[in-house]
Structures are given as C-alpha cells and as structure tokens.
C-alpha cells in the first residue's frame, strides 16, 4: 500500500502552468507587501520583512508544485523543512497574520486556483486598509495620568481645578498623599481630554502656574512623559 502512495502522480505541470502559477503568486505577493507597507504604523519597520512577504509567496507556490500529488514528496519535504530553525522573533501579531496571508496565497497559486488567490488578496487587502483607515479596534478615549505636586493652598487648588475642568473630562483621583516634611501634596489623576483640546495646550496651562505646582503628564505609559 505504501508503494502505491509513493507512485501517485495525477499529471505533470507544463512550463506554461509553472510560469502562470509563479506570475500570479508574484503579483499577489507584491500587493500584500505594498498593503503591509501602507498600513504598518509601528516604529520598527523593516524593508527586508516586506521583501520576504513577496518571496514567501513565491516559495510556497514552488513548494506546492514540487509536492504535487505525490505523498512521498510531501513527507520528504516535511522532514527536510524540519531542520530549519527560525530564530528571529516576530515583533507584532500583524506580522504573523501577513506571513500566514502570503503562505495561503502561495498555496492557492501553486495548485492553480487563480481566482481564489487573486480575489482573496484583493478582498483581504481592502479589509486591512479599511480597518486601519477607520482606526477599528482602537480605544474610544485616550487616557492620561497626571501627577501633581503642589503646596496645599486655596489659590493653588482652585487654579488646578479650573485648568482640569476646562481641558479634561472623566477626571478620577486615583492617589493622594503627603510629601512628608515639605508639606507638599502629591496627587494622581486619570482623565481623557475634551475633544477640542490637545495635550500640548494642557501642558502650557500648567507650565504657566507658579513654581509651587510641579507636574508629570503620562500617556498610555508607552510614550515619553512630560515633566515640569
């Protein structure tokens, strides 16, 4: 029975078919790479990764054509590929998705399913662009954390309250403590900015206060904080 599986061949690929499969795979791979380059917003963009998406699509097509309908080739290829070790860590979940995308398109092109390969590439790329354009999945409000250190007085507290009520909404006092011998008050507020204001305007307002009020403004804990 194993010998019968090893000799399964449903037909040889012509040169025209091979070139057509590779051409469709190349076109779809280039579209995938261009869309990835357009929608990627992270700080660690790599041109080599974009180029690899095109090559991955072509290589997958080639592998599928080599395997064909031969079970022995399939098992042999699995054994050969098992010796390869990829040590580069994937930076983003989106990178994994596009790797799988290129693999799927390469497989479809390799078996001659051109309509699936082209239609799938166009539809998925359009969905990707739409999701990024409309910022789908992003939180509705940007959360800020404000650390205030000030001398406790009615004047300071009223001026701080006036600024925060002007620029902020959803204000929540998360922590309040005394600075010890200095007598200063340290307060942490969480809030989101009102739609018509920017964080730079809030910073300018607090900068204009006296030296008795110092502040740190944090955003999402990933960006650099502003300290005065």
């Amino acid at each position: 029975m194993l010998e019968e599986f090893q000799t399964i061949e449903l037909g040889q690929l012509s040169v025209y078919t091979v070139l057509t499969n590779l051409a469709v795979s190349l076109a779809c791979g280039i579209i995938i790479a261009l869309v990835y380059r357009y929608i990627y917003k992270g700080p660690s963009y790599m041109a080599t990764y974009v180029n690899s998406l095109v090559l991955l699509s072509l290589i997958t097509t080639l592998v599928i054509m080599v395997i064909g309908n031969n079970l022995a080739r399939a098992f042999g290829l699995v054994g050969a590929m098992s010796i390869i070790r990829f040590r580069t860590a994937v930076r983003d979940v989106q990178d994994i998705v596009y790797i799988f995308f290129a693999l799927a398109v390469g497989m479809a092109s390799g078996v001659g399913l051109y309509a699936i390969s082209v239609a799938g590439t166009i539809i998925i790329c359009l969905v990707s662009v739409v999701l990024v354009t409309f910022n789908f999945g992003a939180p509705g409000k940007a959360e800020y954390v404000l650390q205030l250190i000030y001398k406790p007085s009615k004047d300071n507290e009223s001026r701080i309250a006036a600024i925060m009520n002007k620029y902020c909404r959803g204000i929540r006092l998360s922590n309040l403590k005394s600075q010890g011998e200095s007598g200063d008050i340290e307060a942490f507020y969480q809030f989101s900015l009102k739609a018509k204001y920017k964080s730079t305007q809030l910073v300018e307002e607090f900068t204009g206060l006296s030296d008795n009020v110092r502040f740190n403004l944090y955003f999402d804990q990933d960006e650099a904080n502003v300290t005065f």
Side-chain angles (χ1 to χ4, degrees):
M1 182 65 68
L2 181 59
E3 293 178 357
E4 293 178 1
F5 276 118
Q6 291 175 341
T7 57
I8 291 178
E9 287 286 352
L10 296 184
Q12 297 294 328
L13 296 175
S14 65
V15 175
Y16 174 78
T17 302
V18 171
L19 294 178
T20 304
N21 290 356
L22 290 174
V24 173
S25 179
L26 175 61
C28 293
I30 290 174
I31 293 173
I32 293 171
L34 290 175
V35 170
Y36 174 85
R37 186 178 68 176
Y38 172 74
I39 69 172
Y40 183 75
K41 306 299 182 183
S44 55
Y45 173 83
M46 294 179 62
T48 53
Y49 177 80
V50 176
N51 296 335
S52 297
L53 291 175
V54 180
L55 297 177
L56 181 61
S57 179
L58 285 170
I59 293 170
T60 304
T61 299
L62 184 62
V63 168
I64 293 299
M65 289 190 295
V66 168
I67 292 175
N69 299 288
N70 191 301
L71 188 62
R73 290 181 192 170
F75 281 111
L77 186 63
V78 170
M81 295 294 289
S82 65
I83 66 174
I84 299 176
R85 296 291 184 271
F86 298 96
R87 300 186 182 277
T88 302
V90 178
R91 301 157 295 166
D92 195 339
V93 175
Q94 182 175 260
D95 294 351
I96 300 176
V97 170
Y98 272 80
I99 289 174
F100 187 70
F101 188 9
L103 287 172
V105 167
M107 291 174 64
S109 301
V111 296
L113 299 176
Y114 307 135
I116 294 177
S117 182
V118 174
T121 299
I122 294 174
I123 293 174
I124 294 174
C125 287
L126 285 176
V127 171
S128 298
V129 172
V130 169
L131 292 178
V132 171
T133 301
F134 290 95
N135 205 21
F136 182 80
K141 300 178 181 178
E143 289 291 330
Y144 291 81
V145 176
L146 176 66
Q147 178 192 21
L148 288 173
I149 302 174
Y150 59 93
K151 295 289 184 181
S153 68
K154 290 184 178 181
D155 181 56
N156 285 338
E157 291 174 357
S158 61
R159 294 171 69 184
I160 291 171
I163 293 174
M164 296 195 69
N165 290 331
K166 177 181 177 181
Y167 291 95
C168 309
R169 62 182 176 184
I171 302 170
R172 302 185 301 276
L173 177 62
S174 59
N175 192 16
L176 182 66
K177 64 179 181 179
S178 172
Q179 287 285 308
E181 295 181 359
S182 65
D184 291 346
I185 297 296
E186 181 181 24
F188 286 86
Y189 294 93
Q190 292 178 286
F191 61 91
S192 57
L193 287 175
K194 293 182 179 178
K196 60 182 179 179
Y197 295 115
K198 297 182 179 180
S199 58
T200 52
Q201 295 171 296
L202 179 64
V203 169
E204 290 172 358
E205 287 279 359
F206 274 110
T207 304
L209 296 180
S210 64
D211 293 336
N212 291 332
V213 179
R214 293 169 291 155
F215 72 96
N216 298 326
L217 181 63
Y218 304 90
F219 175 61
D220 279 351
Q221 298 181 353
D222 292 327
E223 298 183 8
N225 60 71
V226 181
T227 306
F228 290 88

